[in-house]
Amino acid sequence: MHLSEVLVRRDELRGREGGELDASKMGVAEQIIGWLNVEATRISQCPASVASLQISVLFSWACNLYSLIVKLTPGYQATPVWGKLGASIALLLDSLLDNSSPAKPALRKRSTVQARRTVLSSPESIPKLAELVCQAISGSNTKGIPFLGLIYDVATHLKLKEDSTELAGKIEASSNTINMA
């Protein structure tokens, strides 16, 4: 995991202060996110057929990648890849919390705590993340609802009450757009 962090950090800083100024970005994060999304989608179709530890490792990668990219690249939320990362986190969390998953209670709790910390790592990104998760779960797909609930819970418990009510309102407005079939 440390190696992927170093690679992503180095690539995200290319062409900017703190990185190689004369180099151009190579898209390492985008490739990793694409792969994570494919794996998360595959796992979410039948979580009981995949070892819960494997799901947990992929979930940790997705959460760490989210936190790292939010710190390094502020405008990343506007890219199409950002939605894939949010959807991957939502699908993997749902797979870990699914009753058909063989995950032990301690692993489920740890995953929930890690997801909360990930969302808290960037409070200003919460509304956009909620919007992307809402887009991912529209229709009859309910796989991202646990993550959306977690995002809402984190937003309502922020220490700055003015911000938390504003964030909760934005998330609620986003969630009203979900059309359940």
Side-chain angles (χ1 to χ4, degrees):
M1 181 143 8
H2 180 69
L3 177 61
S4 62
E5 254 183 60
V6 170
L7 290 172
V8 169
R9 181 182 308 274
R10 185 172 180 189
D11 189 48
E12 288 298 316
L13 292 175
R14 286 176 184 253
R16 296 186 357 207
E17 189 177 317
E20 300 171 36
L21 293 175
D22 58 343
S24 60
K25 192 174 171 197
M26 299 175 77
V28 173
E30 289 80 2
Q31 293 295 322
I32 294 172
I33 291 169
W35 171 77
L36 273 171
N37 190 260
V38 168
E39 289 299 309
T41 303
R42 180 184 62 82
I43 289 169
S44 72
Q45 292 169 354
C46 188
S49 66
V50 181
S52 54
L53 189 57
Q54 181 183 358
I55 300 171
S56 176
V57 168
L58 289 173
F59 180 71
S60 292
W61 275 37
C63 288
N64 289 335
L65 191 58
Y66 175 94
S67 298
L68 181 66
I69 290 174
V70 162
K71 289 177 190 168
L72 294 176
T73 314
Y76 206 82
Q77 292 92 342
T79 64
V81 179
W82 188 252
K84 287 184 179 181
L85 183 57
S88 297
I89 293 171
L91 290 173
L92 291 169
L93 181 64
D94 186 74
S95 296
L96 285 165
L97 299 179
D98 190 344
N99 288 335
S100 67
S101 170
K104 294 184 178 179
L107 185 59
R108 291 173 190 213
K109 181 174 173 129
R110 193 195 81 174
S111 299
T112 304
V113 168
Q114 185 171 17
R116 291 181 67 79
R117 288 181 180 159
T118 300
V119 172
L120 274 170
S121 70
S122 179
E124 63 277 355
S125 300
I126 291 175
K128 183 66 175 172
L129 180 61
E131 181 184 326
L132 292 170
V133 172
C134 286
Q135 289 172 1
I137 63 173
S138 63
S140 61
N141 182 6
T142 61
K143 298 274 184 193
I145 289 178
F147 188 51
L148 184 62
L150 185 136
I151 292 169
Y152 186 81
D153 186 53
V154 167
T156 56
H157 287 96
L158 285 174
K159 295 204 187 292
L160 303 171
K161 289 298 176 190
E162 305 83 39
D163 290 344
S164 68
T165 54
E166 182 182 327
L167 286 174
K170 286 181 181 178
I171 293 170
E172 215 169 297
S174 294
S175 65
N176 288 337
T177 63
I178 299 174
N179 297 323
M180 296 304 232

